[in-house]
Amino acid sequence: MSVIAIDEVRTWAAEAGHVARSYFNRVAPERKADRSPVTQADREIEIMLRERIAARYPDHDIIGEEQGGISTDHEFVWCLDPIDGTAAFIAGLPTWGVSIGILRYGQPYLGVIFLPLIEDCYWAYAAGQAFRNDEPIHVSTVERIDSQDWMAVSSYAHRQFKLDFPGKIRSLSSVAADCCYVARGSAVGAMIGRANLWDLAAGLSLLQAAGAVTIGLSGAPLEVPPLVTQSKLSEPIIIGPPHLIPKLRSYISRR
Amino acid sequence: MSVIAIDEVRTWAAEAGHVARSYFNRVAPERKADRSPVTQADREIEIMLRERIAARYPDHDIIGEEQGGISTDHEFVWCLDPIDGTAAFIAGLPTWGVSIGILRYGQPYLGVIFLPLIEDCYWAYAAGQAFRNDEPIHVSTVERIDSQDWMAVSSYAHRQFKLDFPGKIRSLSSVAADCCYVARGSAVGAMIGRANLWDLAAGLSLLQAAGAVTIGLSGAPLEVPPLVTQSKLSEPIIIGPPHLIPKLRSYISRR
């Protein structure tokens, strides 16, 4: 039996998502100290999730986008992004969601991502099977990438990279959503440029369970434990099925 | 009083959207002769809309993505895209919608675009005011484009163009949605690469009513009447507020 009941985490993510949905197109954006956008909805949802987690798992650590937090070497660290894709949320775009990831001893353990407008919940124990709602999902099995395939990139990618991908390129503006669409095999892969632990933690469990790998653009493996303290990615990462990763990397060059 | 009751067209678009929503993530993609994707939902919705229009306006022409049609010099031509963004629909992405545009004497007259997952209806008489649901909308009023502003481009744009836009670039994969986000001032502009009359007809009315202009990448004005017979754009178009158009064009160059 698992230590953490994922069904309960799914319920929390859906509740949080419905709160976010109630604020959608009805809330004024503000700026944080780093100029990134935030809203009342982000803050309220993080408080709500922290209360639920602390009540049920009082000896777990919690790190969240809005209130920060530190890991005190507890076995479990919850990583919360109340609204991953806040800029999309503010723009009235639909690709944003609630991301709840758990690390165990510094490694991906469990991930739940709820996309409220689509009413899709993606979830997995890293060591198990990945699901979209009640359906098992896995990464793309295409052998050759053609013009109808798509990959996700950051909305800033055009400024730094030349992209020779032969299919379609889309920017969803949510790292969590990028992970979901790769995990379900809709996107053949994604390049994630800038991300913090809370953007990625849930996605990493989902991707692992769905058969994806995650590596740095340089080819170096992604080390998760340093993200707990440094928080930001040291270089862009590529996610996708193992057999497509070399191809995906070959399409991307610095401008 | 207007010749065509826009409230009724909004009702039809919402009904069609709810049919599409019921097929979302539950329908197998097929390929048309030109290799573009289609589903049972596209065909069923076009038939449904054609029946409603023919019953109410028997002397109007109808051109639709799935069944084609020709203009017989009738005063009014309805231009239907039952699901604009079919590829996104098939990919499980949320930015797709029902687009119903009407030309009068070959010029934009009325447009209704319904985005079912967001439950947003964008609508306008070209000569009037543009709305998102019950709120008046207008194009962006920013003076200077900064790193937080965004523009929409086609998902193939990276293959043909070098984009020096200083903000974020997103591909929604729906020409109709591109028009909506420019019309409401969320996106500062968009470049639309390939489009047919049915993708654009509703958007052109919405954009005109919201204060946007539409010009070719070369700077040539967009002529709508030839689209009725030739159907496809002869070159990419840029849409946005008049004061930002020269800047937007300056960011785009051929690769």
Side-chain angles (χ1 to χ4, degrees):
Chain A
M1 199 193 121
S2 304
V3 186
I4 295 173
I6 201 164
D7 283 350
E8 187 174 42
V9 183
R10 289 179 61 188
T11 304
W12 295 345
E15 285 172 5
H18 293 138
V19 172
R21 178 76 180 86
S22 73
Y23 277 105
F24 185 56
N25 279 325
R26 288 186 191 87
V27 69
E30 304 157 43
R31 295 263 186 220
K32 291 192 275 195
D34 67 356
R35 301 249 316 131
S36 67
V38 67
T39 71
Q40 176 61 25
D42 300 76
R43 285 188 293 260
E44 183 175 320
I45 292 167
E46 185 164 323
I47 291 168
M48 173 181 143
L49 290 173
R50 281 176 179 271
E51 284 174 357
R52 292 207 186 357
I53 297 162
R56 185 86 161 76
Y57 303 102
D59 57 345
H60 291 190
D61 282 331
I62 306 174
I63 296 178
E65 174 162 16
E66 307 313 332
Q67 294 188 20
I70 51 161
S71 169
T72 55
D73 287 328
H74 278 130
E75 181 180 352
F76 292 101
V77 179
W78 293 65
C79 310
L80 308 178
D81 196 346
I83 300 179
D84 185 72
T86 299
F89 178 83
I90 290 168
L93 290 163
T95 43
W96 48 269
V98 178
S99 178
I100 305 178
I102 304 177
L103 304 182
R104 185 178 195 181
Y105 300 120
Q107 294 299 329
Y109 172 71
L110 178 161
V112 174
I113 297 168
F114 182 69
L115 306 179
L117 290 175
I118 316 179
E119 289 277 346
D120 268 344
C121 184
Y122 291 83
W123 56 282
Y125 291 102
Q129 165 72 58
F131 292 86
R132 181 179 70 81
N133 305 322
D134 298 318
E135 273 178 41
I137 54 173
H138 56 79
V139 290
S140 173
T141 56
V142 301
E143 286 299 322
R144 267 172 48 89
I145 294 170
D146 80 13
S147 66
Q148 296 297 315
D149 292 315
W150 69 283
M151 80 176 284
V153 304
S154 123
S155 56
Y156 289 118
H158 65 285
R159 289 163 58 179
Q160 283 183 286
F161 299 100
K162 186 166 153 283
L163 303 166
D164 291 307
F165 185 73
K168 304 180 186 195
I169 285 188
R170 297 182 172 124
S171 297
L172 308 182
S173 297
S174 155
V175 167
D178 290 346
C179 294
C180 293
Y181 283 92
V182 172
R184 75 184 274 184
S186 173
V188 292
M191 174 171 67
I192 293 170
R194 306 177 208 174
N196 293 286
L197 178 63
W198 46 78
D199 302 308
L200 265 178
L204 290 175
S205 283
L206 186 72
L207 289 165
Q208 184 178 321
V213 292
T214 305
I215 63 157
L217 189 56
S218 69
L222 172 69
E223 301 285 353
V224 180
L227 288 178
V228 179
T229 46
Q230 293 159 20
S231 188
K232 273 187 195 302
L233 285 179
S234 57
E235 64 164 336
I237 54 173
I238 310 292
I239 60 179
H243 71 286
L244 294 180
I245 290 282
K247 207 74 194 164
L248 291 170
R249 280 180 62 211
S250 76
Y251 296 136
I252 301 163
S253 51
R254 299 259 172 199
R255 261 181 76 162
Chain B
M1 198 191 124
S2 304
V3 186
I4 295 172
I6 202 164
D7 285 350
E8 188 174 40
V9 184
R10 289 178 61 189
T11 304
W12 296 345
E15 285 172 5
H18 294 137
V19 171
R21 179 76 179 84
S22 73
Y23 277 105
F24 184 57
N25 278 324
R26 286 185 193 90
V27 70
E30 303 156 44
R31 295 263 187 222
K32 291 193 274 196
D34 67 356
R35 302 245 321 129
S36 66
V38 67
T39 72
Q40 176 60 26
D42 300 76
R43 285 188 293 260
E44 183 175 320
I45 292 166
E46 184 163 323
I47 291 168
M48 172 182 144
L49 291 173
R50 280 176 180 270
E51 283 174 358
R52 291 208 187 356
I53 297 162
R56 185 87 159 78
Y57 303 102
D59 58 344
H60 291 189
D61 283 330
I62 306 176
I63 296 178
E65 174 162 15
E66 307 313 332
Q67 294 188 21
I70 50 161
S71 169
T72 56
D73 288 330
H74 278 130
E75 183 180 351
F76 293 101
V77 180
W78 293 65
C79 308
L80 308 179
D81 197 346
I83 299 181
D84 185 72
T86 299
F89 178 82
I90 290 169
L93 291 164
T95 42
W96 49 268
V98 179
S99 177
I100 305 177
I102 304 176
L103 304 182
R104 186 178 195 181
Y105 300 120
Q107 293 298 331
Y109 172 71
L110 178 160
V112 174
I113 296 168
F114 183 68
L115 306 179
L117 291 176
I118 317 179
E119 290 275 345
D120 268 344
C121 185
Y122 291 83
W123 56 282
Y125 291 101
Q129 165 73 54
F131 292 85
R132 181 178 71 82
N133 305 322
D134 297 319
E135 275 179 39
I137 54 174
H138 56 79
V139 290
S140 174
T141 56
V142 301
E143 287 299 322
R144 266 172 51 90
I145 294 171
D146 80 15
S147 66
Q148 296 297 316
D149 291 316
W150 69 283
M151 80 176 283
V153 305
S154 124
S155 56
Y156 289 117
H158 66 285
R159 290 163 59 181
Q160 284 182 285
F161 299 100
K162 186 166 154 282
L163 304 166
D164 291 307
F165 185 72
K168 304 180 187 195
I169 285 188
R170 296 180 173 126
S171 297
L172 308 182
S173 297
S174 157
V175 167
D178 290 347
C179 295
C180 293
Y181 284 92
V182 172
R184 75 185 273 185
S186 173
V188 293
M191 175 171 65
I192 293 170
R194 307 177 207 173
N196 293 286
L197 179 63
W198 45 78
D199 303 308
L200 265 179
L204 290 175
S205 284
L206 186 72
L207 289 165
Q208 184 179 321
V213 293
T214 304
I215 63 155
L217 189 55
S218 70
L222 172 69
E223 301 284 353
V224 180
L227 288 179
V228 179
T229 46
Q230 294 158 21
S231 189
K232 273 187 194 302
L233 286 179
S234 57
E235 64 164 336
I237 54 173
I238 310 292
I239 59 179
H243 72 286
L244 294 180
I245 290 282
K247 207 74 192 164
L248 291 170
R249 280 181 62 211
S250 75
Y251 296 135
I252 301 163
S253 51
R254 298 261 172 197
R255 262 182 75 162

